[in-house]
Structure formats: C-alpha cells, structure tokens
Amino acid sequence: ANIHRTKKMMKFAAAFALLAGSASAFAPASNGRAATSIAADKSKSLPFLTRPPLLDGSMAGDVGFDPLGLSNIDEVGIDLYWLREAEIKHARVAMMAVAGFLQVEIFGPAPGCEMATDKCQTDAFWQLWGAHPQYVAFGLIMITITEMVSGIATTSGRESGERAPGDFGLDPLGFGKGDAAAFERLKAQEIANGRLAMWAAAGLIVQGCTTHQGGIENLQQALSDNAF
C-alpha cells in the first residue's frame, strides 16, 4: 500500500511540474518586463550599480554617475540643486582657466602683466604678485562679489523652483530661443567639456607646481623623454 501511494505521489508531482513548465512558457512578456525594469534601474555609467533615485536623466549630462551617493545629501543646506550649481560654476571657471593658461603660454602675458614672463603659469602668478599685488587683490574682490551674487541666485532659485541651476539668463547669442533639442545638446556639451576642463585645470596646476613648466612645454618634454 505504501509503495502504491508513493507511486501515485510521484506521478502527481511529475504532472504538476509539467503543467507548471507549460504555463511558464505562455508568460515571457512578464519576465521581459521585469528584466527591463531591473535594467532601467541600473546606472548608465556604472551598470553594475543601481541608479541613484534623483539622477533620472532630466539634467544635461546626467548618466547616473554617483558612486559616493552625493546626490542623496540633503543636510546643512546642501542638496542636489546646490551640487549641480557648484558643478556648472566650476565647469565654466575651469574652461576659462584652461584657455587662459594656454593662451598666455602661447601668446605671452596680457597688457599690464608684462612682468609675468614665465611659461609656467603657477610661477607667473608669483611674478605678478611680486610686481602688482593689487591685481591679485582686485581679482579676489571680484571673486567675492561674484560668489555673493551666485549665492543669492542659488538660494532664491532653490526656494522658488523657478530657476534652473547655473541659469543667470545670460544668452547674448540667443541659443535658448532656437530649436529646443539643439539647445539641450549645447547644455550637454557644456557640462561634458566643463568636466573635462576641471581635470585639465587640475593637471595644469599640479604639473606647474611640480615641474615648473608650462602645459605645452611639459607635454613637449614628456613626448621627447618618451620618444621611441
């Protein structure tokens, strides 16, 4: 009797497994949607990490890159809006800094700064400081005023929600009044080039302080030393 009951249970289990397998064959769409949902929650830049919840791709240049989770900070006045404002501001400053580094190295110092003759701009700064410290002081005053205006704009824009980070209404060429898709591409290009410029500016400053050579001079030296 026990053997008979065991055989019946085995037949029932086999039939159930067959039915379950057949049923699953008719439900591929559900599995596909689940897989798509899981993939959609992954970061585009780091597919092995989950996309940060606030980085939904709505900002120009947003590819979900935030391995340190900085976008989730919302304390002591720092949030995603503040971080985005800081990124755009430093990106724009870095682009101007790199252009200035290379322009002075190639074409020489600007009028009134003839004493800053060193190709290395970190050393040229101290030449300028030694001859005209008032130039540096004036620059620091202008930076302070700019930061005050930027801080007010950031605070009011974050509270009202009517201002996008980095938007000061400065568009003399009217790019924002043209094709919306083209303007979005320009914003993405701005932040991409700005991020690259931040790395470039940091590199120019560090190599200037360590090798006391200009950026182009240092590149030429590196190519000469490592030529085959």
Side-chain angles (χ1 to χ4, degrees):
N2 291 334
I3 295 175
H4 181 68
R5 281 197 299 270
T6 303
K7 288 183 178 180
K8 287 181 66 176
M9 290 177 64
M10 292 177 61
K11 289 179 179 180
F12 177 80
F16 180 81
L18 180 61
L19 288 173
S22 299
S24 65
F26 291 94
S30 176
N31 293 337
R33 284 194 296 270
T36 302
S37 176
I38 293 173
D41 291 334
K42 293 298 183 181
S43 168
K44 290 183 179 180
S45 58
L46 300 171
F48 52 88
L49 293 180
T50 302
R51 175 182 62 80
L54 296 179
L55 300 184
D56 56 4
S58 58
M59 296 188 300
D62 175 15
V63 290
F65 183 80
D66 185 20
L68 300 180
L70 299 178
S71 62
N72 297 321
I73 296 177
D74 190 14
E75 301 173 355
V76 294
I78 298 176
D79 57 8
L80 183 58
Y81 185 99
W82 188 92
L83 292 171
R84 179 64 168 184
E85 181 81 25
E87 179 185 36
I88 293 175
K89 175 169 61 179
H90 286 88
R92 290 168 176 169
V93 170
M95 286 189 282
M96 291 189 291
V98 172
F101 260 75
L102 299 180
Q103 182 267 329
V104 175
E105 183 177 355
I106 295 171
F107 300 106
C113 303
E114 290 82 3
M115 72 296 301
T117 56
D118 203 300
K119 292 290 185 181
C120 173
Q121 295 309 298
T122 54
D123 291 341
F125 170 83
W126 294 111
Q127 291 178 326
L128 183 64
W129 171 264
H132 295 293
Q134 67 271 22
Y135 288 4
V136 179
F138 176 76
L140 293 175
I141 293 172
M142 294 305 297
I143 290 173
T144 301
I145 295 173
T146 302
E147 282 298 298
M148 290 174 60
V149 174
S150 175
I152 294 171
T154 302
T155 302
S156 60
R158 181 168 51 183
E159 293 176 350
S160 66
E162 297 178 358
R163 173 187 177 272
D167 183 9
F168 291 93
L170 183 64
D171 185 18
L173 299 180
F175 290 123
K177 300 176 182 178
D179 180 56
F183 189 53
E184 289 299 318
R185 287 196 299 272
L186 288 174
K187 290 195 291 186
Q189 290 169 1
E190 177 190 36
I191 196 64
N193 285 285
R195 289 167 177 168
L196 179 61
M198 285 189 278
W199 283 105
L204 286 167
I205 293 172
V206 171
Q207 65 85 24
C209 291
T210 54
T211 67
H212 300 284
Q213 292 181 323
I216 297 175
E217 185 181 13
N218 198 249
L219 175 62
Q220 292 173 335
Q221 183 67 47
L223 292 175
S224 175
D225 291 343
N226 295 281
F228 291 101

